[in-house]
Amino acid sequence: MNKTFWESKWAKPISAFISIFGFLLIWHIGVNSSSLGELMPGPIDVLSRFVGSFSVNIGQYTILGHALWSLSRVAIAYSVASFAGVICGLAMGRYPKFEAAFRPYFEIIRPIPPIAWIPMAILWFGLGELTKYFLIFLAAFSNVTLNAYTGAISVDPELIGAARMLGASDNQIFRTITIPASVPHIFAGMQISLSSSWATVVAAEMVRSSEGIGWMIVSGMEINNMQQILAGIVAIGLIGYGLATFMRFLERKLLVWNERGA
Amino acid sequence: MNEDISIDSVQKREKSGYIIISLISLVIGIFLWWLFTEGLGTISHKIMPGPIRVFQSFFSKFYVSAPDGATLLQHLGSSLQITLLGYVIGVAIGIPLGIVMAWYPKFDLFARPVFDLLRPIPGIAWIPVMIVLFGIGLLSKGMVVFLSVFVAITINTYTGIQQTKSVHKWVSHTFGASNIYTLFHVAIPTALPMLMTGLRVALGAAWTTIIAAELLASTKGIGFMIQQSRGLFRPDIIIVGMIAIGITGSVLGWLLGLLEKRVLKGRLSKE
Amino acid sequence: MERTRSIDNVLQARDISKTFVTDRETTHVVEKFDIEVKKNEFVVLFGPGQCGKTTILKILAGLEKPSTGEILLNNQKVTEPGPARGYVFQSLAIFPWLTVMGNVEYGLKVRGVSKAERRERAQHYINLVGLEGFENHYPVKISGGMKQRVGIARAYCNEPDVLLMDEPFGALDAQTRYLMQDEITRIWEKEKRTVIFVTNNIEEAVYLADRIVLLKNCPTSIDNEYIIDLPRPRSNVDPKFLTIRQEITEVMDKTL
Amino acid sequence: MKKTTMKLFSLLIVVIMVCSVFIGCTAKEEAPKDDGEAGTSDSVDNAVQDKASSGDLTKIRVGTQPTTIGVPAQYALEKGYFKEEGLDVDLVLFPTGAPLNEAIAAGELDVAANGLASVFPLANGVCEWIGEANTTGGMGIYVREGSPILENKGEIEGKPDMYGTAESIKGTTFLGPIGTSAQFNVMRYIQHFGLSDADIEQIHMDHGQAYQAYVAGEGDALATSPPFSYDAEDSGFIMAASFEDATESPLFDGLLARKDYSADNPESVKAFVKAYYRACEDLMSDPEMRKEYSIDWFTKNGREYNEETMLKEIEDRDYVTQSMMESEDYSYGLGMLAIADFYTFDGKVEEADLPNVPESFNVSYIEDIMDIKINIATYDDLK
């Protein structure tokens, strides 16, 4: 491997393959050589189960169906949360009175993890989809609001001065300066919220569901089927990674004007 | 590739005189809560207990062990014990890994893919695996917390080290300092603020994962207390548990914020 | 200095002073500052270092409230910033999410001028500052000098009565700075405007100004004035240019 | 231009919205309705099916568990007994009693067939106890070979085959779900030796996980119920105390109806009770059919039974029939009173709520359907 290998565009994918293969190897050795074997399936069984589940139904759907269910729950709740978060965050930035009124509730809700809301969510919204949307909404809402707020109050005063000198009114300044200037912050918030929403889908699907990746893991726990659980975990990891990469790609495309420094 | 750092600190606007408005809105909120539950009784207390009942339960829970077998402080103690266990292990492994991944690109090429794949997996999904690996005792719950801490710390350390300005590195190298020396005397000090944020974010992550960990097998802990009251028609205890989690979470964050200020004193330079 | 209320005074400031009061200490930044600027006069506020010049300019622009005194624009008292006074910031203050065209036409857009008309006027000023062909570039993609041209075009495009410039070339390298000094002179002679230009570079002051207002150090106040009646474009090797520069430098050394 | 960023940004939101709704619908359409599994069945399909049959049916949401208590409900649903009574039943399954209670509290269920955990909705005045469905046998506390508890037997007079002494039980870690019969079993067992819950450690885990963990070497003792109790015997664990020895009170799983629902539509509740007991009669009359039917349904819901363990359960657990209820020594609700009284010790049931339990006994449905007189237990029967 000459020096240039590390710089060549092949370095990343190859090393990724090696490192994942290495991880699976360690897992394989760990399972086969130790007493762990009876309880913990090895990578080969799990991956074959994972691949198999693309054709064979687990419960009512294949793993694709489950993934679609989980994704649709996340997509709906996430987009509502992002929308509400941006509005709330910017409003908090724009109107100090609103911020003062809204902040106490925001500070109370934020530290409480979505899982802790499950019992009350069930009492309020029943066992259906609404409870799941509510939990995922909670996971996404605080981050987006926080970032929109930070974006709105940390606009470079010189830009506002320049706009004011050009005759812009307060409202115009908010619309044409504060909002665009906070778009990078908002986008960073949306990226973080997407990963926290995706992580919450498992907890959300613990609330009485019969489909979804989270259900796959939860029902695996109930019937002690470790392969199904691990296949679910692999799916969550892969999709989570895919979502994060997609958001980064979106950012490069959309925020072309923003030189996102380190 | 730039890591998206979870901005946890809330930049406060200058201490505006709006505290009164916040208080008023809070009072109105609690009044409305009271009105629709105990006041007019429109919402049955089984669905949403009133503020008076909740605060009664909250204070009585400090010395009464009904219905879940331990007082609020015992639960908090048990939860904090697991959180700190997971936190310490997570920090001990996360910081070095973050540094090495950021400082040695070759290692990063290998460690990063596995890390990125494990990162989105929530603590709760690991519970069954942890049961098998570490049984159902303190250690397995600690490990679930460890995972969330480990991820948060590694990201922040990684980003912190990467923020080291190349000009600083060159200066150190021109003085003939070795790579390791530069790492310790240039990169790590630069990364310190990011590291401190990481410590605070990780503690927040640890505290939120504790509920998931306690869904595992537990005899005590706030998560257990909430879990127990679900079947017993005691939503007031559930809300007491949630308030306890919220307050403890904020206090932990506040404490670390103080630590951060003292450690970084003048160094919090605005870039 | 006589206080005439002649009609051709575009901007007047009367015994302006400014003190910043923070909970730790109070600093007097500006004291007894008066100025009268005639139509299309290129006035340079020259003074050492960074003490009060920018504050004075911000007060004249209405971005900063004076502790005492008042500002008269076309003989009317003004307290708020407005399109009648254009401002070019030292830190460029270009909107990164707008293209060059977007930045230049921003003032007109905000005042509700129709798209066609503002596009046409903005194009005129883009050509004036020599940025043709860069209309659709984002600021992140163009050089410092070009960004400053956008700042100037943006201020000009709003057709203000007075143009206030706060060390606009401070951040540029020497070579671009000379180029921009020629550019601003060319633009100014092509489209006369009243200009108040702040700088701490003596050569730039003499090169550009009709009249130089010398500012004493903190708290800033007027020391005295110099009328520069050299023809434009001036050259910094012209003996008359050098003598004036020498004179002012000596006066400046005395005041430090 | 500044417009594009805003346009692109809102476009992104719209795109996410559209694709999510699209995914949501496509996924939902593919969903074949499957009654067996805990199907949150789609009410639209039900209504369509029934329009064809005689008259439209009234909808009723029934919650139960994939255990003995749930078999008659599933049987009546499959055999169409509910339909004959004019009921369109939406059957929802829960792993244990606790989540089932939660669903009742959330107003998601109208009636339920539940176990010992039913004491809580009764104590809280949310539900009525409208019928007892089956005896609960085959539950017990199991320990491993060589456990100190096995060293002495018959220490408690009148309990020849109950193992253990105060010293050997003190400090033991019991695995099993809290708030259910398993915990009741443990608490009553240690009470015989003068111990209380402070002397032992009870780790809360659902039956499946608890059994799995116990096999993996966790915990000292396992409080469990069928089928796991039979599996425990098969894997060589020894029963330290049976449920009957420890608790001395006959415990019945039974039927609950939300008070507001029962008040508003007594006919539906009555129809449900009628169809349910009809299924009980069928199952009791033909043990062979009951075995086949139960094994099939339990395994489908992740609870492995084989011939042998199923026969044991049938032997341990009888469904309540009319003849049973008519007999003299049958005292309706005695088990519930014992449990309610017991749970006041650790505050799970508040003293003040004790009277709610007997008040919630409502045998009117059974008495109308079967035209019999049932004597009802009171707290002084417990003395």
Side-chain angles (χ1 to χ4, degrees), chain B residues 177-258:
Chain B
S178 72
N179 204 357
I180 299 292
Y181 186 88
T182 315
L183 173 63
F184 281 98
H185 291 274
V186 173
I188 291 181
T190 331
L192 209 54
M194 204 64 217
L195 206 73
M196 292 308 297
T197 323
L199 285 176
R200 188 155 38 73
V201 165
L203 191 60
W207 184 242
T208 50
T209 323
I210 187 63
I211 309 299
E214 277 170 355
L215 293 178
L216 195 72
S218 55
T219 59
K220 267 210 279 298
I222 296 285
F224 170 78
M225 181 176 93
I226 292 180
Q227 199 59 11
Q228 273 315 295
S229 358
R230 290 172 66 173
L232 306 179
F233 292 77
R234 291 296 300 276
D236 53 329
I237 304 285
I238 295 174
I239 294 186
V240 163
M242 290 166 76
I243 294 175
I245 294 170
I247 293 176
T248 323
S250 315
V251 164
L252 289 175
W254 176 69
L255 284 177
L256 266 176
L258 289 186

Side-chain angles (χ1 to χ4, degrees), chain A residues 6 16 19 92-93 96 99-101 105 110 115 117 122 124 146-147 150 153 192 199 202 206 229 233 237 241 260, chain B residues 2 5-8 10-11 13 18 22 25-26 29 48 106 110 113-114 116-117 120 122 124-125 128 211 230 242:
Chain A
W6 298 115
S19 88
M92 272 167 75
E99 181 203 341
Y105 300 101
R110 206 156 63 87
I115 285 183
W117 287 91
I122 288 178
W124 297 335
L146 202 61
N147 279 285
T150 321
I153 62 168
I192 300 161
V202 176
M206 283 180 81
I229 295 170
I233 289 179
Y241 179 68
R260 181 157 165 176
Chain B
N2 176 274
I5 325 137
S6 60
I7 302 173
D8 193 33
V10 178
Q11 271 105 348
R13 207 190 287 253
Y18 293 107
S22 305
S25 97
L26 205 59
M48 183 64 188
K106 293 196 192 61
F110 287 102
V114 176
D116 279 347
L117 280 179
I124 199 164
I211 309 299
R230 290 172 66 173
M242 290 166 76

Side-chain angles (χ1 to χ4, degrees), chain C residues 167-181:
Chain C
E167 283 183 56
F169 310 141
L172 301 178
D173 59 274
Q175 208 263 340
T176 326
R177 192 165 191 164
Y178 285 129
L179 179 68
M180 286 307 291
Q181 284 162 4

Side-chain angles (χ1 to χ4, degrees), chain B residues 28-102:
Chain B
I28 294 171
I30 291 177
F31 172 72
L32 286 178
W33 174 15
W34 172 81
L35 191 67
F36 288 112
T37 50
E38 281 144 356
L40 309 171
T42 41
I43 308 172
S44 100
H45 70 280
K46 285 299 163 217
I47 300 287
M48 183 64 188
I52 299 166
R53 175 139 170 79
V54 167
F55 286 119
Q56 265 167 4
S57 309
F58 187 80
F59 293 116
S60 73
K61 203 61 192 113
F62 274 100
Y63 44 89
V64 164
S65 68
D68 38 66
T71 66
L72 190 60
L73 290 182
Q74 285 165 338
H75 285 306
L76 265 181
S78 157
S79 295
L80 281 172
Q81 191 187 11
I82 299 172
T83 310
L84 291 179
L85 174 72
Y87 185 70
V88 166
I89 306 174
V91 168
I93 295 177
I95 292 186
L97 183 68
I99 292 174
V100 168
M101 269 169 74

Side-chain angles (χ1 to χ4, degrees), chain A:
Chain A
M1 271 192 275
N2 51 36
K3 187 79 184 59
T4 56
F5 165 75
W6 298 115
E7 285 79 35
S8 77
K9 64 177 171 46
W10 286 108
K12 230 167 186 309
I14 290 178
S15 54
F17 175 76
I18 294 168
S19 88
I20 291 172
F21 184 77
F23 175 75
L24 296 179
L25 204 60
I26 297 164
W27 177 3
H28 184 74
I29 295 162
V31 162
N32 289 1
S33 63
S34 71
S35 66
L36 221 49
E38 305 105 30
L39 303 165
M40 184 75 152
I44 301 146
D45 317 338
V46 172
L47 289 181
S48 56
R49 178 66 196 256
F50 175 73
V51 169
S53 65
F54 279 84
S55 47
V56 166
N57 272 12
I58 303 174
Q60 295 169 336
Y61 303 100
T62 65
I63 199 163
L64 264 210
H66 290 301
L68 279 178
W69 265 97
S70 298
L71 276 171
S72 76
R73 285 185 181 127
V74 167
I76 293 171
Y78 171 73
S79 25
V80 170
S82 306
F83 198 70
V86 166
I87 306 245
C88 258
L90 291 179
M92 272 167 75
R94 174 84 172 85
Y95 305 104
K97 289 197 179 55
F98 172 77
E99 181 203 341
F102 181 71
R103 179 168 287 284
Y105 300 101
F106 182 74
E107 289 305 333
I108 291 171
I109 293 169
R110 206 156 63 87
I112 302 175
I115 285 183
W117 287 91
I118 291 181
M120 293 316 290
I122 288 178
L123 290 183
W124 297 335
F125 306 110
L127 299 163
E129 292 298 305
L130 199 54
T131 306
K132 302 180 183 63
Y133 294 147
F134 174 70
L135 292 171
I136 299 172
F137 175 89
L138 280 178
F141 179 72
S142 49
N143 258 318
V144 174
T145 313
L146 202 61
N147 279 285
Y149 171 72
T150 321
I153 62 168
S154 53
V155 180
D156 174 0
E158 296 272 309
L159 294 183
I160 294 183
R164 201 179 294 287
M165 286 312 296
L166 292 161
S169 70
D170 276 356
N171 283 342
Q172 280 172 324
I173 285 183
F174 181 69
R175 208 160 28 81
T176 59
I177 303 297
T178 312
I179 293 180
S182 32
V183 162
H185 270 93
I186 292 174
F187 213 89
M190 283 178 70
Q191 275 181 305
I192 300 161
S193 312
L194 185 61
S195 55
S196 48
S197 306
W198 179 247
T200 314
V201 82
V202 176
E205 279 166 358
M206 283 180 81
V207 170
R208 195 91 237 97
S209 62
S210 53
E211 64 297 303
I213 304 272
W215 169 82
M216 241 174 79
I217 294 176
V218 166
S219 71
M221 281 157 87
E222 263 163 31
I223 52 177
N224 291 316
N225 178 340
M226 275 311 275
Q227 281 183 356
Q228 181 176 319
I229 295 170
L230 287 168
I233 289 179
V234 167
I236 291 243
L238 285 175
I239 297 176
Y241 179 68
L243 287 175
T245 325
F246 171 67
M247 279 304 262
R248 248 180 239 114
F249 162 77
L250 255 189
E251 180 173 30
R252 265 200 301 282
K253 280 285 159 292
L254 285 180
L255 299 185
V256 68
W257 54 267
N258 171 36
E259 187 52 75
R260 181 157 165 176

